Amino acid sequence: MKALRYLALAAVALLAACSPGQKAEEAPKADAPVVIRFATDWRAQAEHGGFYQALASGEYAKRGLDVRMVQGGPGVNVPQLLASGAVDLGMGSNSFIVMNLAQQDVPVKAVAAFMQKDPQVLIAHPDAGVNSIADLKGRPILLADASVTAFWTWLKAKYGFTDSQVRKYTFNAAPFLADKRAVQQGYVTSEPYTIEKEAGLKPRVFLLADEGYPGYATMVLATDSLIAKNPAAVRAFVEASAQGWRDYLDSDPAAADALIRKDNPEMTPDVLTQAREKLKSYRIVEGEEGLPLGAMTDARWKAFFDVASSQGVYPKTLDPKRAYTLEFVGK
């Protein structure tokens, strides 16, 4: 449901609705909080819980920030919002987004990654003789257009999958349910639960990150100009968000969930609860490296770039360090 969200055209209506408050790079009045308009990559959901928790608990406010959430959706392009100045910070769904910006010389960098594991999964039928990702070779795999030039490149490099397996995924589970040999993409926090709830089928789920996929997810993106002009605001946002994620996962999420449901009334309590539990049980936010929340490393970015460039997604001459900065994380 989310793989194409970053490729859609920016919605004019959303741009008009964005809070017209002072930009973060403008000099604030004495003692005035710094307004930060933060664009999410989809409509409010548990996958944004840490940010909403930091807003609800006052973590942003106590650091001198007035954070205003700008919801994403099918008509929202976060990089465009950043480039136009409509927002001050934005959410990057996966590592390809920010690396694409680097390749296009767009002055935007990832400053933190609040999902150490990309929640991308492949979903198979439980009685189809599939015990590992390797068993999916030769089977039809339903993929969104954006995924073909994203994590699919890693799957081809590691498992020898071929483009002949690709079938178009339209964010409808019906084709998957109709064919026991079929496989479809999804998020570990979303599609498996929906399939089980609506079809009574408990699918086999393979989290790509647990198979070695090196990409980050739910990154905070900032323009180079904001990093240069107001690094304190960027650092404050990253620190408050990290605390928000700790609290959302390990404390009472009720206040954050209330804000999420206010912004997105279609989000139900059961969906929020199961998604939060998946974030915890799969260690999506914490990862396995024992690093601070939001941390990134040169090694992970190099591993991601090496795979993508080996498949021709990026020229090998591109410097991956143009896509991110470690100035605000991991110290």
Side-chain angles (χ1 to χ4, degrees):
M1 293 187 293
K2 293 172 265 190
L4 289 176
R5 56 194 167 198
Y6 54 88
L7 289 180
L9 295 176
V12 175
L14 180 69
L15 287 170
C18 288
S19 301
Q22 168 192 328
K23 295 181 182 179
E25 60 264 29
E26 295 175 353
K29 298 178 181 179
D31 299 323
V34 176
V35 173
I36 294 289
R37 292 162 297 176
F38 178 54
T40 64
D41 59 357
W42 197 247
R43 298 188 67 192
Q45 55 191 313
E47 291 86 339
H48 305 156
F51 304 110
Y52 276 93
Q53 184 77 27
L55 187 63
S57 64
E59 291 294 336
Y60 293 128
K62 72 173 62 174
R63 290 170 174 81
L65 303 180
D66 176 5
V67 172
R68 304 175 185 183
M69 308 293 276
V70 178
Q71 284 196 87
V76 179
N77 184 309
V78 173
Q80 284 186 4
L81 293 178
L82 282 165
S84 69
V87 298
D88 306 293
L89 296 172
M91 189 182 298
S93 303
N94 59 60
S95 295
F96 285 96
I97 292 176
V98 68
M99 196 64 69
N100 290 345
L101 293 174
Q103 183 183 18
Q104 297 161 13
D105 293 321
V106 178
V108 171
K109 287 183 174 62
V111 298
F114 284 106
M115 287 189 180
Q116 294 293 298
K117 294 181 180 182
D118 190 315
Q120 192 72 58
V121 297
L122 291 180
I123 304 167
H125 286 259
D127 53 355
V130 174
N131 298 307
S132 68
I133 289 184
D135 294 333
L136 304 180
K137 189 173 183 179
R139 293 174 180 264
I141 301 180
L142 297 156
L143 299 174
D145 292 342
S147 302
V148 174
T149 54
F151 66 84
W152 179 244
T153 62
W154 174 81
L155 287 167
K156 291 195 296 183
K158 182 165 183 175
Y159 296 101
F161 294 173
T162 65
D163 289 337
S164 64
Q165 295 179 246
V166 175
R167 306 290 186 273
K168 191 174 183 64
Y169 178 48
T170 59
F171 303 93
N172 182 341
F176 166 76
L177 294 172
D179 182 358
K180 285 190 175 182
R181 294 190 72 251
V183 179
Q184 79 160 57
Q185 69 173 69
Y187 263 23
V188 70
T189 50
S190 181
E191 283 82 356
Y193 177 75
T194 301
I195 289 172
E196 184 173 358
K197 181 180 179 181
E198 296 181 358
L201 175 74
K202 189 175 180 61
R204 294 297 306 272
V205 178
F206 301 98
L207 182 67
L208 302 190
D210 283 350
E211 304 293 331
Y213 180 57
Y216 290 113
T218 310
M219 287 163 286
V220 175
L221 308 183
T223 61
D224 288 355
S225 61
L226 178 60
I227 292 171
K229 294 178 181 179
N230 202 340
V234 177
R235 186 177 302 281
F237 184 89
V238 170
E239 291 177 353
S241 298
Q243 187 59 52
W245 274 109
R246 291 187 196 96
D247 293 342
Y248 187 68
L249 295 176
D250 299 328
S251 301
D252 185 359
D257 284 350
L259 287 182
I260 289 172
R261 296 189 68 197
K262 180 180 179 181
D263 277 356
N264 182 8
E266 295 180 3
M267 188 55 58
T268 59
D270 64 307
V271 172
L272 288 169
T273 298
Q274 69 83 30
R276 179 170 169 267
E277 290 305 314
K278 295 283 182 58
L279 291 172
K280 294 171 64 176
S281 63
Y282 281 92
R283 296 185 61 82
I284 298 297
V285 175
E286 298 95 330
E288 303 291 343
E289 302 178 39
L291 296 174
L293 266 62
M296 302 182 295
T297 68
D298 290 325
R300 276 279 297 275
W301 276 108
K302 183 179 185 301
F304 167 80
F305 178 77
D306 287 348
V307 172
S309 61
S310 72
Q311 295 297 303
V313 179
Y314 305 113
K316 294 185 177 180
T317 54
L318 177 65
D319 182 3
K321 291 186 178 181
R322 291 169 55 187
Y324 67 95
T325 175
L326 303 182
E327 178 182 354
F328 304 99
V329 294
K331 294 184 179 181

